[in-house]
Amino acid sequence: MDDLTVIVLAAGGGTRMKSKTMKVLHEVGGRSMIGHVLVAVKAMEPRRVVAVVGHQREQVGPHIQALLPEVVLAVQETQDGTGHAVRVAMDALQEQVGEVTGTVVVAAGDTPLLTGESLRAFVAEHEAAQRAVSILSGVVPDPFGYGRIVRNAEGDVEAIVEEKDASPEQREISEINSGILAFDTHFLVSALPRIGNDNAKGEYYLTDAVQLAQDDGLTVGAYPIDDVAQTEGANDRAQLAELGRELNRRVVTRWMRDGVTVMDPATTWIDADVVLAPDVTILPGTQLLGATMVAEDAVIGPDTTLKDCEVGVGARVVRTHGELAVLGERATVGPFSYLRPGTRLGAGGKIGAFVETKNAEIGEGSKVPHLSYVGDAEIGRGSNIGAGTIFANYDGTTKHRTTVGDGAKTGSNNTFVAPVSIGDGAMTGGGTVVRQDVPPGALAVSAGPQRNLEGHVARRSATARPTDGEPQTDPGVGQPPPGGPQS
Ligand code: UD1
Ligand code: CA
Protein backbone atom coordinates (compact mmCIF):
# COMPACT_ATOMS: atom_id res chain seq x y z
CA MET A 1 0.00 0.00 0.00
CA ASP A 2 3.04 2.26 -0.44
CA ASP A 3 2.04 3.54 -3.83
CA LEU A 4 -1.68 3.97 -3.65
CA THR A 5 -3.93 6.28 -5.62
CA VAL A 6 -7.61 6.58 -4.75
CA ILE A 7 -10.23 7.87 -7.17
CA VAL A 8 -13.52 8.96 -5.61
CA LEU A 9 -16.40 9.26 -8.07
CA ALA A 10 -18.76 12.10 -7.29
CA ALA A 11 -19.89 13.49 -10.63
CA GLY A 12 -23.33 11.88 -10.84
CA GLY A 13 -26.48 13.92 -10.36
CA GLY A 14 -28.33 12.06 -7.65
CA THR A 15 -31.69 13.25 -8.98
CA ARG A 16 -33.67 10.94 -6.69
CA MET A 17 -32.68 13.06 -3.71
CA LYS A 18 -34.93 15.76 -5.23
CA SER A 19 -32.71 18.33 -3.67
CA LYS A 20 -30.83 21.48 -4.49
CA THR A 21 -28.00 19.90 -2.52
CA MET A 22 -25.84 17.36 -4.35
CA LYS A 23 -26.32 13.78 -3.22
CA VAL A 24 -22.85 13.23 -1.76
CA LEU A 25 -23.20 16.41 0.32
CA HIS A 26 -26.23 15.12 2.21
CA GLU A 27 -25.29 14.38 5.79
CA VAL A 28 -25.56 11.40 8.08
CA GLY A 29 -23.93 11.16 11.48
CA GLY A 30 -22.80 14.79 11.31
CA ARG A 31 -20.76 14.44 8.13
CA SER A 32 -21.53 14.56 4.44
CA MET A 33 -21.63 11.16 2.76
CA ILE A 34 -18.48 12.01 0.86
CA GLY A 35 -16.94 13.19 4.13
CA HIS A 36 -17.35 9.66 5.51
CA VAL A 37 -15.80 8.17 2.37
CA LEU A 38 -12.84 10.56 2.62
CA VAL A 39 -12.25 9.58 6.27
CA ALA A 40 -12.09 5.93 5.18
CA VAL A 41 -9.83 6.81 2.25
CA LYS A 42 -7.46 8.84 4.43
CA ALA A 43 -7.07 5.87 6.78
CA MET A 44 -5.28 4.07 3.93
CA GLU A 45 -2.71 6.88 3.75
CA PRO A 46 -2.84 7.02 -0.05
CA ARG A 47 -0.18 8.89 -1.96
CA ARG A 48 -2.82 10.72 -4.00
CA VAL A 49 -6.56 11.17 -4.00
CA VAL A 50 -8.49 12.31 -7.06
CA ALA A 51 -12.13 13.31 -6.83
CA VAL A 52 -14.17 13.32 -10.00
CA VAL A 53 -16.75 16.09 -9.90
CA GLY A 54 -19.33 17.13 -12.46
CA HIS A 55 -22.88 17.92 -11.40
CA GLN A 56 -22.93 20.99 -9.17
CA ARG A 57 -19.17 20.92 -8.95
CA GLU A 58 -19.16 24.48 -7.61
CA GLN A 59 -20.77 22.97 -4.46
CA VAL A 60 -18.96 19.66 -4.35
CA GLY A 61 -15.43 20.73 -5.29
CA PRO A 62 -14.88 23.24 -2.47
CA HIS A 63 -16.45 20.85 0.06
CA ILE A 64 -14.00 18.11 -0.88
CA GLN A 65 -11.06 20.54 -0.89
CA ALA A 66 -11.98 21.73 2.59
CA LEU A 67 -11.89 18.15 3.89
CA LEU A 68 -8.80 17.12 1.93
CA PRO A 69 -6.77 20.12 0.76
CA GLU A 70 -4.27 18.02 -1.18
CA VAL A 71 -6.99 16.42 -3.32
CA VAL A 72 -6.73 16.56 -7.12
CA LEU A 73 -10.08 17.59 -8.58
CA ALA A 74 -10.93 16.18 -11.99
CA VAL A 75 -13.88 17.64 -13.84
CA GLN A 76 -16.12 15.32 -15.82
CA GLU A 77 -18.19 17.62 -18.01
CA THR A 78 -20.73 14.98 -19.02
CA GLN A 79 -21.50 11.85 -17.03
CA ASP A 80 -20.73 9.24 -19.65
CA GLY A 81 -20.17 6.38 -17.25
CA THR A 82 -17.79 5.14 -14.58
CA GLY A 83 -15.16 4.13 -17.16
CA HIS A 84 -15.21 7.65 -18.56
CA ALA A 85 -15.04 9.15 -15.06
CA VAL A 86 -11.93 7.14 -14.20
CA ARG A 87 -10.35 8.12 -17.48
CA VAL A 88 -10.93 11.78 -16.66
CA ALA A 89 -9.34 11.18 -13.26
CA MET A 90 -6.27 9.48 -14.72
CA ASP A 91 -5.87 12.27 -17.29
CA ALA A 92 -6.02 14.90 -14.54
CA LEU A 93 -3.39 13.00 -12.55
CA GLN A 94 -1.14 12.65 -15.55
CA GLU A 95 -1.39 16.39 -16.10
CA GLN A 96 -0.99 17.49 -12.50
CA VAL A 97 1.37 14.96 -10.93
CA GLY A 98 2.80 13.00 -13.89
CA GLU A 99 3.22 9.26 -14.25
CA VAL A 100 1.22 7.14 -11.79
CA THR A 101 2.31 3.66 -10.72
CA GLY A 102 1.26 1.14 -8.08
CA THR A 103 -2.38 0.50 -7.20
CA VAL A 104 -5.46 2.54 -8.06
CA VAL A 105 -8.60 2.12 -5.97
CA VAL A 106 -11.91 3.44 -7.29
CA ALA A 107 -14.72 4.19 -4.83
CA ALA A 108 -18.01 6.07 -4.96
CA GLY A 109 -18.71 9.13 -2.87
CA ASP A 110 -22.00 8.01 -1.36
CA THR A 111 -21.17 5.03 0.91
CA PRO A 112 -21.12 6.52 4.43
CA LEU A 113 -20.66 3.25 6.33
CA LEU A 114 -17.44 2.33 4.54
CA THR A 115 -14.47 2.00 6.91
CA GLY A 116 -10.76 2.43 6.43
CA GLU A 117 -10.17 -1.08 7.80
CA SER A 118 -12.30 -2.64 5.08
CA LEU A 119 -10.55 -0.67 2.37
CA ARG A 120 -7.15 -1.59 3.76
CA ALA A 121 -8.01 -5.29 3.92
CA PHE A 122 -9.31 -5.16 0.35
CA VAL A 123 -6.21 -3.44 -1.03
CA ALA A 124 -3.88 -5.73 0.93
CA GLU A 125 -5.65 -8.75 -0.58
CA HIS A 126 -5.50 -7.25 -4.07
CA GLU A 127 -1.80 -6.49 -3.82
CA ALA A 128 -0.89 -9.86 -2.28
CA ALA A 129 -2.71 -11.67 -5.12
CA GLN A 130 -0.96 -9.45 -7.72
CA ARG A 131 -4.13 -9.11 -9.74
CA ALA A 132 -4.87 -6.77 -12.61
CA VAL A 133 -8.34 -6.09 -11.17
CA SER A 134 -9.96 -6.87 -7.83
CA ILE A 135 -13.61 -6.27 -7.09
CA LEU A 136 -14.97 -5.66 -3.62
CA SER A 137 -18.11 -7.73 -3.94
CA GLY A 138 -20.99 -8.55 -1.64
CA VAL A 139 -23.78 -11.07 -1.44
CA VAL A 140 -27.09 -9.27 -1.06
CA PRO A 141 -30.68 -10.46 -0.72
CA ASP A 142 -31.92 -8.07 -3.44
CA PRO A 143 -29.28 -7.62 -6.16
CA PHE A 144 -31.57 -5.53 -8.38
CA GLY A 145 -29.75 -2.63 -10.02
CA TYR A 146 -26.24 -3.82 -9.27
CA GLY A 147 -23.63 -5.26 -11.59
CA ARG A 148 -23.53 -9.05 -11.06
CA ILE A 149 -20.33 -11.00 -10.57
CA VAL A 150 -20.31 -13.82 -13.09
CA ARG A 151 -18.06 -16.72 -12.04
CA ASN A 152 -17.11 -19.84 -14.05
CA ALA A 153 -17.34 -23.46 -12.91
CA GLU A 154 -14.02 -23.10 -11.05
CA GLY A 155 -15.37 -20.08 -9.20
CA ASP A 156 -13.10 -17.63 -11.01
CA VAL A 157 -14.53 -14.23 -11.90
CA GLU A 158 -15.39 -14.02 -15.59
CA ALA A 159 -17.20 -10.73 -15.93
CA ILE A 160 -19.33 -8.07 -14.31
CA VAL A 161 -22.66 -7.77 -16.05
CA GLU A 162 -24.81 -4.70 -15.45
CA GLU A 163 -28.49 -5.10 -14.58
CA LYS A 164 -29.70 -3.78 -17.91
CA ASP A 165 -27.34 -6.03 -19.89
CA ALA A 166 -27.87 -9.18 -17.82
CA SER A 167 -29.68 -12.32 -18.99
CA PRO A 168 -32.50 -13.65 -16.77
CA GLU A 169 -30.11 -16.30 -15.35
CA GLN A 170 -27.45 -13.68 -14.63
CA ARG A 171 -30.03 -11.58 -12.81
CA GLU A 172 -30.44 -14.46 -10.37
CA ILE A 173 -26.82 -14.00 -9.20
CA SER A 174 -26.75 -12.49 -5.74
CA GLU A 175 -23.05 -11.60 -5.66
CA ILE A 176 -22.77 -7.98 -6.74
CA ASN A 177 -20.13 -5.40 -7.56
CA SER A 178 -20.00 -2.89 -4.71
CA GLY A 179 -18.50 -0.35 -7.08
CA ILE A 180 -15.20 -0.42 -5.17
CA LEU A 181 -12.47 -1.75 -7.43
CA ALA A 182 -8.69 -2.02 -7.20
CA PHE A 183 -6.44 -1.97 -10.25
CA ASP A 184 -2.86 -2.47 -11.16
CA THR A 185 -2.17 1.00 -12.56
CA HIS A 186 -0.33 -0.20 -15.69
CA PHE A 187 -3.25 -2.39 -16.61
CA LEU A 188 -5.82 0.33 -15.86
CA VAL A 189 -4.04 2.86 -18.07
CA SER A 190 -3.91 0.33 -20.93
CA ALA A 191 -7.55 -0.70 -20.46
CA LEU A 192 -9.28 2.70 -20.25
CA PRO A 193 -8.93 3.64 -23.94
CA ARG A 194 -10.21 0.20 -24.91
CA ILE A 195 -13.50 0.50 -22.99
CA GLY A 196 -16.40 1.15 -25.36
CA ASN A 197 -20.00 2.22 -24.83
CA ASP A 198 -21.82 -0.43 -26.82
CA ASN A 199 -24.25 -1.47 -24.08
CA ALA A 200 -27.79 -0.94 -22.85
CA LYS A 201 -27.01 2.45 -21.27
CA GLY A 202 -24.63 3.68 -23.95
CA GLU A 203 -22.10 4.43 -21.19
CA TYR A 204 -18.43 3.65 -20.72
CA TYR A 205 -18.54 0.96 -18.03
CA LEU A 206 -15.48 0.72 -15.80
CA THR A 207 -16.58 -2.83 -15.13
CA ASP A 208 -15.69 -3.77 -18.73
CA ALA A 209 -12.06 -3.68 -17.54
CA VAL A 210 -12.70 -7.16 -16.13
CA GLN A 211 -13.25 -8.59 -19.60
CA LEU A 212 -10.23 -6.72 -20.94
CA ALA A 213 -8.03 -8.21 -18.21
CA GLN A 214 -9.23 -11.70 -19.18
CA ASP A 215 -8.41 -10.92 -22.82
CA ASP A 216 -4.90 -9.88 -21.75
CA GLY A 217 -4.50 -13.13 -19.82
CA LEU A 218 -4.29 -11.26 -16.50
CA THR A 219 -5.84 -12.28 -13.20
CA VAL A 220 -9.09 -10.90 -11.90
CA GLY A 221 -10.69 -11.65 -8.55
CA ALA A 222 -13.58 -10.65 -6.32
CA TYR A 223 -13.20 -10.20 -2.60
CA PRO A 224 -16.56 -10.50 -0.86
CA ILE A 225 -17.15 -8.22 2.10
CA ASP A 226 -19.22 -9.72 4.93
CA ASP A 227 -20.55 -6.38 6.04
CA VAL A 228 -22.28 -5.34 2.82
CA ALA A 229 -23.89 -2.32 4.47
CA GLN A 230 -20.48 -0.66 4.19
CA THR A 231 -20.80 -0.57 0.42
CA GLU A 232 -24.39 0.67 0.35
CA GLY A 233 -25.12 4.08 -1.06
CA ALA A 234 -28.11 6.31 -0.50
CA ASN A 235 -29.97 7.31 -3.64
CA ASP A 236 -32.98 8.91 -2.00
CA ARG A 237 -33.86 10.34 1.39
CA ALA A 238 -35.50 7.17 2.65
CA GLN A 239 -32.25 5.27 2.07
CA LEU A 240 -30.34 8.16 3.59
CA ALA A 241 -32.36 7.87 6.79
CA GLU A 242 -31.85 4.09 6.87
CA LEU A 243 -28.11 4.43 6.46
CA GLY A 244 -28.11 7.18 9.08
CA ARG A 245 -29.89 4.94 11.55
CA GLU A 246 -27.53 2.06 10.84
CA LEU A 247 -24.51 4.32 11.17
CA ASN A 248 -25.86 5.59 14.49
CA ARG A 249 -26.48 2.05 15.69
CA ARG A 250 -22.84 1.25 14.95
CA VAL A 251 -21.50 4.39 16.61
CA VAL A 252 -23.65 3.92 19.73
CA THR A 253 -22.69 0.24 19.97
CA ARG A 254 -19.00 1.12 19.71
CA TRP A 255 -19.30 3.63 22.58
CA MET A 256 -21.16 1.12 24.74
CA ARG A 257 -18.36 -1.39 24.14
CA ASP A 258 -15.91 1.34 25.16
CA GLY A 259 -17.62 1.79 28.52
CA VAL A 260 -20.38 4.33 27.94
CA THR A 261 -23.79 3.59 29.46
CA VAL A 262 -26.57 4.27 26.97
CA MET A 263 -29.96 3.68 28.51
CA ASP A 264 -31.89 3.74 25.23
CA PRO A 265 -29.78 3.27 22.09
CA ALA A 266 -32.85 3.72 19.88
CA THR A 267 -33.39 7.34 20.98
CA THR A 268 -29.72 8.24 21.36
CA TRP A 269 -27.97 9.88 18.41
CA ILE A 270 -24.23 10.26 18.40
CA ASP A 271 -22.39 11.86 15.49
CA ALA A 272 -19.32 10.17 14.06
CA ASP A 273 -16.87 12.77 15.40
CA VAL A 274 -18.13 12.85 19.00
CA VAL A 275 -15.68 11.68 21.68
CA LEU A 276 -16.89 10.09 24.92
CA ALA A 277 -14.98 8.89 27.97
CA PRO A 278 -15.67 5.65 29.84
CA ASP A 279 -18.41 5.84 32.47
CA VAL A 280 -20.30 8.57 30.71
CA THR A 281 -24.05 7.95 31.06
CA ILE A 282 -26.48 8.94 28.31
CA LEU A 283 -30.18 9.04 29.12
CA PRO A 284 -32.99 8.64 26.56
CA GLY A 285 -33.70 11.23 23.90
CA THR A 286 -30.18 12.62 23.74
CA GLN A 287 -28.32 13.84 20.66
CA LEU A 288 -24.59 14.43 20.88
CA LEU A 289 -23.59 16.20 17.68
CA GLY A 290 -20.65 17.64 15.83
CA ALA A 291 -17.37 17.66 17.73
CA THR A 292 -18.94 17.25 21.18
CA MET A 293 -16.66 15.79 23.85
CA VAL A 294 -17.89 14.37 27.14
CA ALA A 295 -15.55 13.50 30.02
CA GLU A 296 -15.77 10.67 32.54
CA ASP A 297 -18.75 10.26 34.87
CA ALA A 298 -20.77 12.96 33.19
CA VAL A 299 -24.49 12.26 32.86
CA ILE A 300 -26.28 13.70 29.83
CA GLY A 301 -30.04 13.69 29.31
CA PRO A 302 -32.77 12.88 29.17
CA ASP A 303 -33.90 14.91 26.16
CA THR A 304 -30.74 16.88 25.58
CA THR A 305 -29.05 18.09 22.41
CA LEU A 306 -25.43 19.19 22.55
CA LYS A 307 -23.61 20.31 19.43
CA ASP A 308 -19.87 21.07 19.49
CA CYS A 309 -19.91 21.18 23.30
CA GLU A 310 -17.31 20.13 25.84
CA VAL A 311 -18.61 18.57 29.04
CA GLY A 312 -16.29 18.15 32.04
CA VAL A 313 -15.81 15.24 34.43
CA GLY A 314 -18.91 14.42 36.45
CA ALA A 315 -21.01 17.20 34.99
CA ARG A 316 -24.79 16.79 34.78
CA VAL A 317 -26.85 18.14 31.87
CA VAL A 318 -30.63 17.64 31.98
CA ARG A 319 -33.16 18.55 29.22
CA THR A 320 -30.89 21.11 27.63
CA HIS A 321 -30.11 22.49 24.18
CA GLY A 322 -26.50 23.56 23.87
CA GLU A 323 -24.16 24.69 21.12
CA LEU A 324 -20.46 25.59 21.39
CA ALA A 325 -20.58 25.58 25.18
CA VAL A 326 -17.88 24.41 27.59
CA LEU A 327 -18.98 22.97 30.93
CA GLY A 328 -16.51 22.43 33.75
CA GLU A 329 -16.12 19.51 36.13
CA ARG A 330 -19.19 18.75 38.24
CA ALA A 331 -21.10 21.61 36.62
CA THR A 332 -24.87 21.20 36.52
CA VAL A 333 -27.15 22.41 33.76
CA GLY A 334 -30.90 22.25 33.29
CA PRO A 335 -33.61 21.29 33.20
CA PHE A 336 -34.70 23.49 30.29
CA SER A 337 -31.53 25.47 29.74
CA TYR A 338 -30.42 27.00 26.45
CA LEU A 339 -26.67 27.27 26.09
CA ARG A 340 -25.67 29.37 23.12
CA PRO A 341 -22.20 29.72 21.63
CA GLY A 342 -19.52 31.08 23.91
CA THR A 343 -21.02 29.78 27.13
CA ARG A 344 -18.32 28.66 29.57
CA LEU A 345 -19.39 27.35 32.94
CA GLY A 346 -16.68 26.79 35.55
CA ALA A 347 -16.18 23.76 37.78
CA GLY A 348 -19.10 23.14 40.13
CA GLY A 349 -21.07 25.98 38.55
CA LYS A 350 -24.77 25.90 37.79
CA ILE A 351 -26.99 27.05 34.95
CA GLY A 352 -30.50 26.21 36.09
CA ALA A 353 -34.06 25.99 34.87
CA PHE A 354 -35.17 28.32 32.06
CA VAL A 355 -31.83 30.06 31.77
CA GLU A 356 -30.40 31.19 28.42
CA THR A 357 -26.71 32.00 28.14
CA LYS A 358 -24.58 33.40 25.31
CA ASN A 359 -20.95 34.55 25.28
CA ALA A 360 -21.06 34.11 29.01
CA GLU A 361 -18.21 33.06 31.20
CA ILE A 362 -19.56 31.88 34.52
CA GLY A 363 -16.76 31.19 37.00
CA GLU A 364 -16.05 28.26 39.27
CA GLY A 365 -18.88 27.58 41.69
CA SER A 366 -21.02 30.44 40.42
CA LYS A 367 -24.71 29.87 39.96
CA VAL A 368 -27.46 31.22 37.72
CA PRO A 369 -30.19 28.98 39.05
CA HIS A 370 -33.50 30.28 37.67
CA LEU A 371 -35.27 32.05 34.80
CA SER A 372 -32.51 34.31 33.53
CA TYR A 373 -30.79 35.59 30.39
CA VAL A 374 -27.03 35.90 30.64
CA GLY A 375 -25.59 37.42 27.46
CA ASP A 376 -22.12 38.91 26.91
CA ALA A 377 -21.17 38.47 30.54
CA GLU A 378 -18.30 37.55 32.74
CA ILE A 379 -19.15 36.30 36.20
CA GLY A 380 -16.35 35.55 38.67
CA ARG A 381 -16.13 32.71 41.15
CA GLY A 382 -18.67 31.80 43.80
CA SER A 383 -21.24 34.39 42.77
CA ASN A 384 -24.98 33.85 42.82
CA ILE A 385 -27.28 35.52 40.32
CA GLY A 386 -30.84 35.96 41.60
CA ALA A 387 -33.87 34.41 39.94
CA GLY A 388 -35.21 36.24 36.92
CA THR A 389 -32.15 38.32 36.12
CA ILE A 390 -31.68 39.82 32.68
CA PHE A 391 -28.25 40.81 31.47
CA ALA A 392 -29.49 43.54 29.10
CA ASN A 393 -26.65 43.44 26.62
CA TYR A 394 -28.24 45.25 23.69
CA ASP A 395 -29.01 48.95 23.53
CA GLY A 396 -30.75 48.67 20.20
CA THR A 397 -27.60 49.16 18.15
CA THR A 398 -24.64 47.62 19.96
CA LYS A 399 -23.98 44.70 22.28
CA HIS A 400 -22.20 45.50 25.55
CA ARG A 401 -20.64 43.38 28.28
CA THR A 402 -21.47 43.00 31.94
CA THR A 403 -18.99 41.86 34.53
CA VAL A 404 -19.80 40.47 37.92
CA GLY A 405 -16.93 39.88 40.36
CA ASP A 406 -16.25 37.04 42.76
CA GLY A 407 -18.62 36.23 45.60
CA ALA A 408 -21.32 38.65 44.48
CA LYS A 409 -24.97 37.97 45.47
CA THR A 410 -27.52 39.68 43.29
CA GLY A 411 -31.21 39.90 44.08
CA SER A 412 -34.16 38.51 42.20
CA ASN A 413 -35.66 40.18 39.15
CA ASN A 414 -32.67 42.39 38.41
CA THR A 415 -31.72 43.99 35.13
CA PHE A 416 -28.05 44.68 34.46
CA VAL A 417 -27.94 47.34 31.77
CA ALA A 418 -24.62 46.82 30.00
CA PRO A 419 -21.95 48.05 29.94
CA VAL A 420 -21.86 47.78 33.70
CA SER A 421 -19.86 46.00 36.35
CA ILE A 422 -20.70 44.64 39.77
CA GLY A 423 -17.72 44.37 42.08
CA ASP A 424 -16.43 41.50 44.20
CA GLY A 425 -18.68 40.66 47.13
CA ALA A 426 -21.29 43.26 46.10
CA MET A 427 -25.04 42.74 46.52
CA THR A 428 -28.14 44.09 44.81
CA GLY A 429 -31.67 44.33 46.13
CA GLY A 430 -34.70 42.65 44.60
CA GLY A 431 -35.88 44.35 41.43
CA THR A 432 -32.75 46.45 41.00
CA VAL A 433 -32.01 47.94 37.62
CA VAL A 434 -28.25 48.32 37.62
CA ARG A 435 -27.22 51.14 35.28
CA GLN A 436 -24.04 52.23 37.04
CA ASP A 437 -21.11 50.21 38.29
CA VAL A 438 -21.52 48.74 41.76
CA PRO A 439 -18.31 49.02 43.84
CA PRO A 440 -16.96 45.93 45.60
CA GLY A 441 -18.78 45.18 48.82
CA ALA A 442 -21.60 47.69 48.14
CA LEU A 443 -25.35 47.06 48.10
CA ALA A 444 -27.15 48.53 45.10
CA VAL A 445 -30.87 49.27 45.19
CA SER A 446 -32.80 51.18 42.57
CA ALA A 447 -36.50 50.60 43.22
CA GLY A 448 -38.36 53.54 44.80
CA PRO A 449 -39.69 53.25 48.34
CA GLN A 450 -42.84 51.18 48.63
CA ARG A 451 -46.09 53.04 49.34
CA ASN A 452 -49.13 51.31 50.87
CA LEU A 453 -52.50 52.89 50.07
CA GLU A 454 -54.54 52.03 53.17
CA GLY A 455 -58.15 50.93 52.52
CA HIS A 456 -57.70 50.94 48.73
CA VAL A 457 -59.25 47.50 48.19
CA ALA A 458 -62.44 48.29 50.06
CA ARG A 459 -62.85 51.60 48.24
CA ARG A 460 -62.45 49.84 44.94
CA SER A 461 -65.14 47.21 45.65
CA ALA A 462 -67.57 49.96 46.69
CA THR A 463 -67.33 51.59 43.25
CA ALA A 464 -67.65 48.27 41.36
CA ARG A 465 -71.44 47.57 41.28
CA PRO A 466 -72.36 45.20 38.46
CA THR A 467 -75.73 45.94 36.71
CA ASP A 468 -77.46 43.47 34.33
CA GLY A 469 -74.63 41.05 34.95
CA GLU A 470 -72.24 43.39 33.13
CA PRO A 471 -69.08 43.86 35.12
CA GLN A 472 -68.23 47.49 35.60
CA THR A 473 -64.75 48.66 35.25
CA ASP A 474 -63.08 50.50 38.02
CA PRO A 475 -61.50 53.51 36.36
CA GLY A 476 -58.54 53.03 38.68
CA VAL A 477 -57.75 49.49 37.60
CA GLY A 478 -54.67 49.20 35.46
CA GLN A 479 -53.61 52.76 36.31
CA PRO A 480 -50.61 53.23 38.50
CA PRO A 481 -51.38 54.85 41.82
CA PRO A 482 -50.60 58.53 41.87
CA GLY A 483 -46.93 59.11 42.45
CA GLY A 484 -46.14 55.62 41.27
CA PRO A 485 -43.03 54.80 39.29
CA GLN A 486 -44.59 55.59 35.90
CA SER A 487 -45.94 59.03 36.68
C1 UD1 B 1 -22.12 0.98 -10.76
C2 UD1 B 1 -21.43 -0.26 -11.36
C3 UD1 B 1 -22.16 -1.49 -10.87
C4 UD1 B 1 -22.19 -1.54 -9.35
C5 UD1 B 1 -22.77 -0.24 -8.81
C6 UD1 B 1 -22.61 -0.19 -7.32
C7 UD1 B 1 -20.54 0.40 -13.50
C8 UD1 B 1 -20.73 0.37 -14.95
N1 UD1 B 1 -21.48 -0.18 -12.78
O1 UD1 B 1 -23.41 1.01 -11.31
O2 UD1 B 1 -21.51 -2.67 -11.35
O3 UD1 B 1 -22.93 -2.63 -8.90
O4 UD1 B 1 -22.10 0.90 -9.36
O5 UD1 B 1 -23.29 0.92 -6.81
O6 UD1 B 1 -19.54 0.90 -13.04
N2 UD1 B 1 -20.27 8.44 -11.68
C9 UD1 B 1 -19.50 9.46 -12.16
N3 UD1 B 1 -19.51 9.74 -13.48
C10 UD1 B 1 -20.25 9.02 -14.36
C11 UD1 B 1 -21.04 7.96 -13.87
C12 UD1 B 1 -21.03 7.68 -12.53
O7 UD1 B 1 -18.83 10.15 -11.40
O8 UD1 B 1 -20.18 9.32 -15.56
C13 UD1 B 1 -20.26 8.16 -10.26
C14 UD1 B 1 -21.61 8.34 -9.62
O9 UD1 B 1 -21.75 9.65 -9.11
C15 UD1 B 1 -21.58 7.33 -8.50
C16 UD1 B 1 -20.69 6.21 -9.05
O10 UD1 B 1 -19.94 6.80 -10.09
O11 UD1 B 1 -20.95 7.84 -7.34
C17 UD1 B 1 -21.50 5.04 -9.57
O12 UD1 B 1 -22.29 5.47 -10.62
P1 UD1 B 1 -23.76 4.95 -10.85
O13 UD1 B 1 -24.34 5.62 -12.00
O14 UD1 B 1 -24.50 4.97 -9.57
O15 UD1 B 1 -23.44 3.45 -11.28
P2 UD1 B 1 -24.42 2.26 -11.21
O16 UD1 B 1 -25.24 2.24 -12.43
O17 UD1 B 1 -25.09 2.22 -9.91
CA1 CA C 1 -25.27 3.45 -7.85
Side-chain angles (χ1 to χ4, degrees):
M1 240 171 284
D2 307 331
D3 189 3
L4 179 64
T5 300
V6 180
I7 299 173
V8 180
L9 303 183
T15 47
R16 277 176 286 166
M17 281 289 176
K18 302 199 174 145
S19 176
K20 58 186 172 301
T21 303
M22 242 299 268
K23 174 166 88 171
V24 296
L25 300 186
H26 280 260
E27 288 190 1
V28 284
R31 279 187 206 141
S32 63
M33 289 203 275
I34 197 159
H36 286 281
V37 172
L38 292 176
V39 167
V41 164
K42 275 194 259 186
M44 289 194 293
E45 298 175 0
R47 193 165 282 182
R48 323 159 193 88
V49 179
V50 192
V52 181
V53 294
H55 265 275
Q56 288 170 275
R57 62 173 181 266
E58 57 298 329
Q59 264 185 18
V60 185
H63 178 79
I64 296 173
Q65 281 172 315
L67 296 172
L68 193 71
E70 66 271 28
V71 74
V72 173
L73 286 184
V75 176
Q76 188 190 22
E77 296 289 350
T78 53
Q79 282 66 62
D80 297 331
T82 49
H84 180 251
V86 168
R87 198 167 166 179
V88 165
M90 294 305 286
D91 288 349
L93 272 180
Q94 179 77 39
E95 209 171 276
Q96 294 183 38
V97 304
E99 184 87 20
V100 178
T101 52
T103 299
V104 170
V105 169
V106 177
D110 67 345
T111 54
L113 299 186
L114 186 64
T115 67
E117 297 89 86
S118 297
L119 281 178
R120 286 180 83 96
F122 171 56
V123 174
E125 205 265 353
H126 164 79
E127 290 184 350
Q130 298 193 307
R131 295 195 196 104
V133 188
S134 296
I135 305 145
L136 187 65
S137 69
V139 176
V140 297
D142 178 15
F144 179 81
Y146 286 103
R148 309 297 205 284
I149 309 292
V150 181
R151 293 180 184 263
N152 64 19
E154 285 75 50
D156 299 327
V157 174
E158 285 207 315
I160 301 177
V161 181
E162 294 303 305
E163 175 79 36
K164 286 194 172 161
D165 303 288
S167 66
E169 300 80 60
Q170 286 170 333
R171 286 186 184 154
E172 296 298 309
I173 298 170
S174 60
E175 187 183 3
I176 56 98
N177 166 28
S178 71
I180 298 167
L181 303 168
F183 295 91
D184 170 67
T185 305
H186 287 297
F187 166 70
L188 179 64
V189 169
S190 83
L192 288 172
R194 290 185 278 157
I195 292 176
N197 63 351
D198 182 16
N199 52 51
K201 277 176 144 181
E203 285 186 356
Y204 296 88
Y205 289 168
L206 181 61
T207 46
D208 283 358
V210 169
Q211 187 59 55
L212 293 169
Q214 322 277 18
D215 296 349
D216 291 358
L218 300 170
T219 46
V220 176
Y223 173 87
I225 185 169
D226 290 333
D227 183 15
V228 281
Q230 285 195 32
T231 66
E232 274 171 30
N235 292 311
D236 60 30
R237 304 207 198 202
Q239 288 173 347
L240 186 72
E242 266 171 47
L243 287 182
R245 194 179 49 173
E246 177 57 20
L247 177 67
N248 186 60
R249 197 187 63 75
R250 292 173 182 219
V251 170
V252 171
T253 303
R254 175 165 60 82
W255 286 120
M256 291 192 290
R257 297 217 197 288
D258 283 353
V260 172
T261 296
V262 177
M263 191 185 274
D264 183 16
T267 62
T268 299
W269 290 82
I270 304 177
D271 275 355
D273 290 326
V274 167
V275 178
L276 305 176
D279 286 320
V280 162
T281 298
I282 303 174
L283 300 179
T286 294
Q287 296 165 286
L288 301 177
L289 308 178
T292 293
M293 286 165 61
V294 183
E296 229 170 65
D297 298 327
V299 181
I300 315 287
D303 301 323
T304 291
T305 300
L306 299 179
K307 185 170 188 221
D308 301 324
C309 289
E310 230 181 284
V311 180
V313 174
R316 183 81 180 84
V317 185
V318 183
R319 288 185 211 281
T320 289
H321 184 96
E323 235 171 280
L324 282 165
V326 179
L327 309 176
E329 289 183 28
R330 293 168 288 100
T332 61
V333 175
F336 309 108
S337 305
Y338 180 24
L339 313 176
R340 291 169 54 198
T343 296
R344 303 176 72 89
L345 178 60
K350 177 179 175 120
I351 294 173
F354 304 103
V355 173
E356 173 180 343
T357 58
K358 185 213 72 171
N359 276 337
E361 187 147 357
I362 300 169
E364 214 179 298
S366 285
K367 297 184 163 65
V368 187
H370 328 275
L371 300 159
S372 294
Y373 172 63
V374 185
D376 300 309
E378 198 182 320
I379 300 172
R381 299 156 156 240
S383 287
N384 191 84
I385 304 301
T389 296
I390 304 300
F391 286 61
N393 56 334
Y394 188 49
D395 61 13
T397 33
T398 322
K399 301 274 170 74
H400 300 282
R401 291 186 67 79
T402 298
T403 60
V404 176
D406 299 338
K409 304 263 178 291
T410 64
S412 296
N413 197 26
N414 277 201
T415 302
F416 302 152
V417 183
V420 78
S421 86
I422 294 167
D424 292 346
M427 296 180 79
T428 63
T432 302
V433 179
V434 178
R435 297 177 190 275
Q436 294 156 30
D437 291 354
V438 181
L443 167 70
V445 286
S446 70
Q450 178 176 331
R451 291 176 57 217
N452 294 334
L453 305 183
E454 295 284 352
H456 171 81
V457 176
R459 278 198 301 281
R460 202 179 69 150
S461 356
T463 57
R465 282 204 192 85
T467 49
D468 305 336
E470 289 287 319
Q472 287 212 337
T473 24
D474 173 356
V477 168
Q479 302 293 323
Q486 283 155 46
S487 62

